[in-house]
Amino acid sequence: MPIRTRAGCGCGEIGRRTRFRFWRQKRGGSSPSIRTSLVVTLSNVSRVNSVARVRDRFSRAIVSRRAVQPFPGHRRIEAGRNLQGEGLRNPTPSCFLRSGETWGARGMSKDVAYTCLLDAKVQAYLYPIVDAPVGFRGGPVLTDVSQQHFRHLRHDSPYDHFQADAEYPARLPGDYYYAGPIYDHFGHFLSEMVHRIVPAHAHGGKHKFLFVSSDKTATPPDLQSAAPYIRDILEFLGIDADNSVVIRVNSIVERLHVFEQGASWGGAPKDAYLDELSRFSSARLDELCGQIKRPKKIYVSRSALPKVGAILGEAYLETVLADEGFEVFRPEQHSFAVQMDHYRKAETIVFAEGSAAHGAELLGSRMMGSVVLVPRSQQAYVFERVLRPRSRQFLRANVTRYLGTVKENSSDGSPLFHRGVTLLRPKIAVETFRTNSVSPMRAFSKVGYLKSAVTDLRTYFKDAACLPEPFNCRYAVALATRLAFGWIGRERVRSKTQKVRGKTKSGWPSRPR
């Protein structure tokens, strides 16, 4: 008999069917409240994937519906109509522009809005720049309700705020394109801080790009002192020290040209932005990489990185895939343009969830072939929204199970889930890869994988101990116990219970999945 599992608890087994049970629970004569229990018993991988697709389709529908709503204070500018105060004609039909604004981006559709701010107030970011869940504290001060979509967004919603009593000791004369924050993190820089640059190039002006940093020494004061990968990304985007400025103090900018982000962290990229990326990045990659041949099948690996936030036993998986024709690709060993060139020329790409997937942020619509994402956290949807619209075929392979973390928040003791590790479910992984013609996985062994996972768990404990956050030994014991008692999954489960000091304890079956 399959184990019954409450929805969202993350444990229990996958059986043969899904049942929903609803029952009412009366509370002392008051009106009954509805208590819902979801009993999940699924064994068919396609059924699991279909549930995930329904959930994700629903969330995308909500995002899409919200994204197409016009913002307050906007009006439609018809193609060919002269704009106020400008001797230019609007090249974009039906572009959403605010009253009194200048032209839209040349070649861009209504999905990417634009404005020009006069005597714009720009606040230097407070450190740390990425400060979840507080948000970004700085940037162009946009408090008007009609300007909210020009702010820094996450999940297509504003994620920044400003100091009301700030002073502005510096002034920048002339015209500038607002490029965004500058921050030393590969994934965040690509997912949040570069998606205004290509629309600005399409606009056609020759203005300098304005980056905003912090006055703390931990942030780069200029592009020359930025991390090499930041300079590499900006070089691909055609930006260098000659056509850019980095400010670290509050400033007044005479004319600041601001485009809304073509994509935001956790949000869906705009169709017009993807089309513009296709034109820009294809031409740029042809210029930099030409017709160099790349592997047809690649596995984008994280196994050479610290095990914090890793998939345990990943090295074993990549060995199996390498024997079946996959090239194990470590993006940290290649330039940004070479990474993108590999992704666009490969027929099949398997991504282990992580910052490497953000290397595809500047690829346009359907520029990649068949893409498989192997999740390792509850934030897999963020990477799916990056990869799905940029691939011709996409599969989110739900073949892992989150194991846990040993790191906790120093302020409230809550677990830091992004510091945790994930485990493959061997049987489901093999079936999924075979069913979807990703790889036959002939050499994959459950025992071999488990040995590799145990080795990685020991390494994870050592790597996690080196991080500044507190190390919770109780969490570590729980991790080792879960791995030892078969969190890789079981089949033909029979629930055995025994009374231990008045508590019920579930027994574990003996046959691995």
Side-chain angles (χ1 to χ4, degrees), residues 68 103 154 306 342 400 441:
V68 299
W103 62 95
R154 276 193 180 182
H342 274 77
T400 57
M441 303 282 280

Side-chain angles (χ1 to χ4, degrees), residues 189-206:
F189 187 71
L190 275 170
S191 62
E192 302 195 76
M193 305 176 188
V194 299
H195 290 304
R196 306 177 196 262
I197 295 175
V198 171
H201 279 307
H203 185 268
K206 301 300 181 183

Side-chain angles (χ1 to χ4, degrees), residues 38-331:
L38 171 61
V39 181
V40 180
T41 54
L42 286 168
S43 79
N44 191 317
V45 177
S46 63
R47 293 280 301 278
V48 176
N49 290 337
S50 67
V51 172
R53 285 196 297 271
V54 169
R55 181 189 64 238
D56 295 337
R57 190 180 301 121
F58 177 74
S59 62
R60 287 196 303 273
I62 295 176
V63 171
S64 300
R65 184 176 180 183
R66 180 172 54 194
V68 299
Q69 300 300 319
F71 294 93
H74 282 69
R75 60 188 177 92
R76 285 187 182 273
I77 303 296
E78 298 301 328
R81 179 179 174 182
N82 289 336
L83 302 181
Q84 298 179 4
E86 303 292 339
L88 299 174
R89 297 174 69 84
N90 176 30
T92 305
S94 301
C95 180
F96 277 113
L97 294 178
R98 189 179 169 214
S99 299
E101 290 175 354
T102 56
W103 62 95
R106 186 172 296 116
M108 303 293 286
S109 80
K110 65 183 180 181
D111 288 328
V112 179
Y114 159 84
T115 187
C116 179
L117 304 175
L118 302 179
D119 290 331
K121 296 180 179 179
V122 182
Q123 295 184 3
Y125 284 98
L126 299 181
Y127 186 81
I129 291 179
V130 180
D131 188 16
V134 176
F136 289 70
R137 298 167 295 171
V141 179
L142 301 167
T143 56
D144 191 275
V145 66
S146 64
Q147 299 175 333
Q148 299 306 292
H149 55 299
F150 293 109
R151 293 171 58 181
H152 192 100
L153 307 179
R154 276 193 180 182
H155 297 94
D156 299 322
S157 300
Y159 194 70
D160 58 358
H161 54 271
F162 318 102
Q163 294 175 292
D165 56 348
E167 297 181 354
Y168 299 86
R171 182 176 180 85
L172 291 178
D175 293 79
Y176 293 87
Y177 286 126
Y178 177 59
I182 187 166
Y183 179 70
D184 191 6
H185 187 286
F186 179 83
H188 283 288
F189 187 71
L190 275 170
S191 62
E192 302 195 76
M193 305 176 188
V194 299
H195 290 304
R196 306 177 196 262
I197 295 175
V198 171
H201 279 307
H203 185 268
K206 301 300 181 183
H207 315 312
K208 287 188 175 184
F209 287 88
L210 179 69
F211 291 91
V212 184
S213 185
S214 170
D215 60 354
K216 297 290 184 180
T217 56
T219 58
D222 49 46
L223 294 188
Q224 292 91 332
S225 58
Y229 70 83
I230 291 180
R231 299 198 302 269
D232 195 19
I233 294 169
L234 294 180
E235 181 183 357
F236 176 82
L237 290 169
I239 295 179
D240 54 27
D242 295 332
N243 63 355
S244 64
V245 172
V246 179
I247 63 171
R248 305 180 72 192
V249 296
N250 297 347
S251 304
I252 300 290
V253 182
E254 183 178 0
R255 286 181 298 276
L256 185 64
H257 303 267
V258 182
F259 288 88
E260 66 173 324
Q261 293 168 270
S264 65
W265 189 93
K270 301 180 182 301
D271 292 338
Y273 180 60
L274 291 176
D275 293 340
E276 188 61 37
L277 282 178
S278 295
R279 291 188 286 270
F280 178 88
S281 296
S282 295
R284 192 79 174 111
L285 289 173
D286 288 342
E287 176 187 352
L288 296 174
C289 301
Q291 301 302 316
I292 300 176
K293 291 185 178 181
R294 305 295 187 189
K296 294 300 182 183
K297 298 192 295 183
I298 61 176
Y299 175 78
V300 184
S301 174
R302 301 183 77 258
S303 63
L305 302 176
K307 299 305 178 185
V308 177
I311 298 175
L312 298 180
E314 184 184 0
Y316 181 82
L317 174 63
E318 69 182 32
T319 299
V320 172
L321 293 177
D323 292 340
E324 295 175 349
F326 277 79
E327 177 80 12
V328 177
F329 184 70
R330 307 191 191 281

